[in-house]
Amino acid sequence: MGKLAGAASIVFAGAIGQDTGFLCRLARDAGLRVVLDIADTRSLGSDGAAFVSAAGSAHRVFAADAALAAIAKRQLGVAS
């Protein structure tokens, strides 16, 4: 974590890929607070399993608006 020395948290934003869950767990295991930012539906539609994995390792999941939050809750079981 050399370049992240001194960091307290990390934000993952953009489309979620296969490695996002692994990276979230890696960051959490390194002691960082993990925030997952849902800004568009690509994150919800491309790979539901990857999203659920990433969300499970995040301390916080934020959605850009109420519509995205509702989709995440309905499709993936992510809490409000």
Side-chain angles (χ1 to χ4, degrees):
M1 287 267 163
K3 292 186 179 186
L4 296 176
S9 61
I10 188 166
V11 177
F12 289 89
I16 292 174
Q18 292 287 71
D19 294 335
T20 307
F22 169 75
L23 295 171
C24 286
R25 282 189 306 280
L26 188 65
R28 187 178 181 122
D29 290 348
L32 296 173
R33 301 273 306 161
V34 177
V35 177
L36 190 61
D37 184 2
I38 307 168
D40 58 48
T41 55
R42 288 178 300 165
S43 294
L44 301 175
S46 61
D47 187 345
F51 181 87
V52 171
S53 173
S57 295
H59 290 93
R60 294 277 187 259
V61 177
F62 289 102
D65 57 36
L68 285 172
I71 291 169
K73 184 175 181 181
R74 182 177 64 250
Q75 289 184 349
L76 305 168
V78 175
S80 299

